[in-house]
Amino acid sequence: MTILSIETSCDETGIAILETTDANTVVLRGNALASQIDIHAQYGGVFPALAKRAHAEKIVPLLQNTLNEAGLLEAKTDESPIPDLSFLDEKESALKAHLIPFFAAYKKPAIDHIAVTTGPGLEPALWVGINAARALSIAWDIPIIPINHMEGHIVAAAIEKIGEHTYRFIDISFPTLSLLVSGGHTELVLVEKFGVYKKIGQTRDDAVGEAFDKVARVIGLPYPGGPAISKLAHEWRVATKESHAQNAFSLPRPMLHSGDFDFSFSGIKTAVLYAARDKGVLSDDDKKALACEFETATIEVLVKKTLAAASEYATPTIIVGGGVAANTYLREQLALTAGNTATLLFPESWLATDNAVMIGLAATTQVISRNKKTRNPNKLRADGNLSL
Ligand code: KG4
Ligand code: ZN
């Protein structure tokens, strides 16, 4: 069974092709990702109208590359008609302009399902992926599996590599706890099994990735802020390791003792802003020290709450997902504190940030569990606030 997956929820355009060879094994046959970081960097965040335009420009070339990589791109030899794409006329003319020559040139590939992210995310961006999926579904007469982006982030951590392009689903003992940390979300989710989720806590204001991005802007670092902050923080930790000196900056650990599993990161972001303002001009060392204290404070809250939730719900496994799961310090701190009592699952770094492979993996779990939720292509909707 072969799934073509599409991800356009934010600022990465992704297409992947996954083939399930037996009940547990997945071969990654093709994977392409186009990042819009350069487009959005000047705004310090993602600009929805520009994201939509970039997805519409990139998605068909990426589709072509991915099919080609998978050995599934075959030139048409007949004059079979191009499908009616008039539903794209009003809002998706750029996408339509790319799809017409694509359908004119290539045959229907050996794909069984199309998986597409329908939310959460930026709706104009989500619609591009959904409309591309609709067009492919109609033209090739194959079903669509709508996927929740956050489910993709969870499932991305549940595989292990067993060959160059081959992965196996890890045998997980459910229920498991998932810490989801991305640019738009910070959540603790109880996973009864794939497809059945219960949110037990979430941020009441900013997501942790968003806080990294905003603090990076205050310190004068480029978007996305997570990797840049993390790099400075690491340098400061190494530089001050011998001296054991206290950090000159001291930031709050919001909601550490709130007694629930919710988070709040807007206060800590504001505290960074005030600390920077008080200093006037930040020296390079100030920037490093502030980045370090910010990362230490946010990760401390994430780790302590995650441990408390794992203990309360007695979950033997903790799955960490989302862009911030790429953070080395988070990985280290969780391993230090929970490594002996729980199995920790992190995605490979390239699978932590947005990509289409995780969307295909989530769809694969639905097909494997025979609980596949296909949808009439004309009834698909983007839902920016879609919840697990
Ligand atoms: O999951 P993702 O790629 O997109 C969303 O669904 O939001 O997450 C992107 C977020 C950004 O806020 C970025 O700054 C953060 O993940 N991020 C990191 C790291 N790498 C990416 N945050 C902290 N440390 C990192 N190494
Ligand atoms: Zn994401």
Side-chain angles (χ1 to χ4, degrees), residues 250-271:
S250 170
L251 295 170
R253 270 65 171 160
M255 298 189 65
L256 194 55
H257 303 292
S258 62
D260 56 21
F261 299 118
D262 283 350
F263 301 93
S264 164
F265 294 105
S266 87
I268 200 166
K269 168 199 73 188
T270 311

Side-chain angles (χ1 to χ4, degrees), residues 9-12 149-150 153 181-185 208-210 212-213 223-227 230 295 322-328 352-354:
S9 69
C10 191
D11 57 351
E12 308 278 346
H149 178 85
M150 301 315 290
H153 277 308
V181 278
S182 70
H185 291 79
V208 67
E210 184 182 1
F212 269 88
D213 295 338
Y223 172 85
S230 186
E295 185 179 61
V324 185
N327 184 280
T328 314
T353 44
D354 291 351

Side-chain angles (χ1 to χ4, degrees), residues 20-199:
T20 309
T21 49
D22 68 41
N24 260 331
T25 311
V26 181
V27 180
L28 180 53
R29 293 190 53 184
N31 178 29
L33 197 63
S35 173
Q36 303 174 5
I37 284 175
D38 294 348
I39 298 172
H40 302 294
Q42 55 185 311
Y43 305 101
V46 181
F47 202 81
L50 292 182
K52 175 190 159 92
R53 197 158 78 191
H55 287 306
E57 288 305 321
K58 283 284 157 59
I59 197 161
V60 176
L62 289 186
L63 175 67
Q64 214 165 308
N65 289 349
T66 318
L67 286 167
N68 191 34
E69 187 187 352
L72 295 172
L73 192 68
E74 249 189 279
K76 248 187 188 173
T77 47
D78 59 11
E79 293 291 315
S80 53
I82 293 170
D84 177 12
L85 300 178
S86 54
F87 68 95
L88 297 173
D89 283 343
E90 202 183 320
K91 290 185 172 158
E92 225 65 81
S93 54
L95 175 65
K96 184 180 172 185
H98 284 281
L99 280 168
I100 286 177
F102 173 79
F103 285 125
Y106 302 106
K107 275 187 192 165
K108 172 185 172 174
I111 300 278
D112 303 295
H113 298 95
I114 296 164
V116 63
T117 307
T118 56
L122 303 169
E123 287 187 3
L126 288 161
W127 271 116
V128 180
I130 290 173
N131 280 320
R134 282 172 76 189
L136 299 178
S137 166
I138 292 165
W140 298 340
D141 192 25
I142 51 180
I144 294 183
I145 307 177
I147 298 292
N148 182 311
H149 178 85
M150 301 315 290
E151 179 171 31
H153 277 308
I154 295 175
V155 176
I159 52 165
E160 60 186 343
K161 195 169 178 159
I162 56 168
E164 196 183 351
H165 301 291
T166 312
Y167 291 84
R168 186 167 55 202
F169 283 101
I170 295 168
D171 193 13
I172 293 171
S173 45
F174 293 108
T176 179
L177 179 71
S178 181
L179 170 68
L180 291 175
V181 278
S182 70
H185 291 79
T186 304
E187 302 177 342
L188 278 164
V189 176
L190 207 58
V191 184
E192 305 284 354
K193 59 180 182 178
F194 291 135
V196 182
Y197 307 101
K198 185 178 158 204
K199 213 182 287 176

